[in-house]
Amino acid sequence: MKKLILVRHAKSDWPEETDDFNRPLADKGLEEAKRMSSFIKNNNVAIDRFVSSPAVRALTTCEIFNESYRINVTTDEKLYNPSERNFESVIYDLDDSHHSVALFSHNNGISNFANSMSEDIFHFPTCGVAGFEIDCHSWSEFNGANKKLLFFYEPKKI
């Protein structure tokens, strides 16, 4: 069994003359990310690896989560402005030694990808976190594997 954790970046800001890629987190987003990362760590959500979009708001969210986990973080361009196939491509590239991986990305792609695996999720709020159990031994088996929603956390509800 593998576990896939999807994390939408926390609330971002959009200062004047800042392009989309370089948007920072808003103060509220910094607080959300700290609160959510502590919440999932305290609820024993095991994660072996973080893979983040390289965009500032997603990577900063990932780095805040990593203050609780202290694990290896990598970035992947495919998680910036992603389609469902982008997520699958990142998953197929994962090392099978990682049993529980968190992907940090953006909407609408992350909501669409989560909805392709479960009918229980409709829209990811900022800093929303969903966990799925993937019935496979290798990430290369992801596409044909059964997927089960384990949890869906929203900052306003924790």
Side-chain angles (χ1 to χ4, degrees):
M1 289 288 185
K2 302 287 188 188
K3 288 197 175 97
L4 181 65
I5 315 298
L6 301 178
V7 184
R8 182 178 173 198
H9 66 78
K11 180 85 173 143
S12 60
D13 201 356
W14 203 327
E16 283 186 45
E17 298 183 28
T18 301
D19 64 6
D20 182 70
F21 188 87
N22 290 305
R23 289 171 53 197
L25 291 183
D27 289 343
K28 179 181 178 184
L30 293 168
E31 292 170 20
E32 281 178 346
K34 289 175 186 172
R35 196 169 74 249
M36 183 61 80
S37 65
S38 293
F39 177 82
I40 66 166
K41 179 70 173 176
N42 292 336
N43 279 280
N44 299 314
V45 176
I47 302 174
D48 303 316
R49 178 70 171 247
F50 288 148
V51 183
S52 178
S53 157
V56 170
R57 61 195 182 276
L59 187 55
T60 303
T61 302
C62 179
E63 290 168 344
I64 290 169
F65 272 64
N66 204 28
E67 290 173 10
S68 295
Y69 281 86
R70 305 213 182 279
I71 58 176
N72 193 7
V73 173
T74 58
T75 60
D76 194 315
E77 291 279 340
K78 292 178 267 189
L79 293 175
Y80 177 64
N81 214 7
S83 69
E84 184 177 326
R85 290 190 188 272
N86 290 64
F87 282 97
E88 291 173 354
S89 177
V90 171
I91 290 165
Y92 293 139
D93 287 343
L94 293 172
D95 188 303
D96 287 333
S97 67
H98 301 295
H99 298 288
S100 182
V101 176
L103 304 180
F104 292 76
S105 192
H106 311 263
N107 240 358
N108 291 324
I110 201 165
S111 288
N112 293 341
F113 182 61
N115 280 319
S116 75
M117 292 188 288
S118 172
E119 295 177 4
D120 297 324
I121 298 174
F122 301 102
H123 176 74
F124 260 75
T126 54
C127 214
V129 179
F132 294 89
E133 183 177 76
I134 314 300
D135 189 8
C136 65
H137 296 289
S138 171
W139 291 108
S140 65
E141 302 167 345
F142 177 83
N143 198 30
N146 287 328
K147 298 153 187 87
K148 176 184 169 188
L149 179 67
L150 298 174
F151 58 81
F152 182 58
Y153 301 130
E154 302 177 49
K156 290 181 181 178
K157 295 182 180 179
I158 62 165

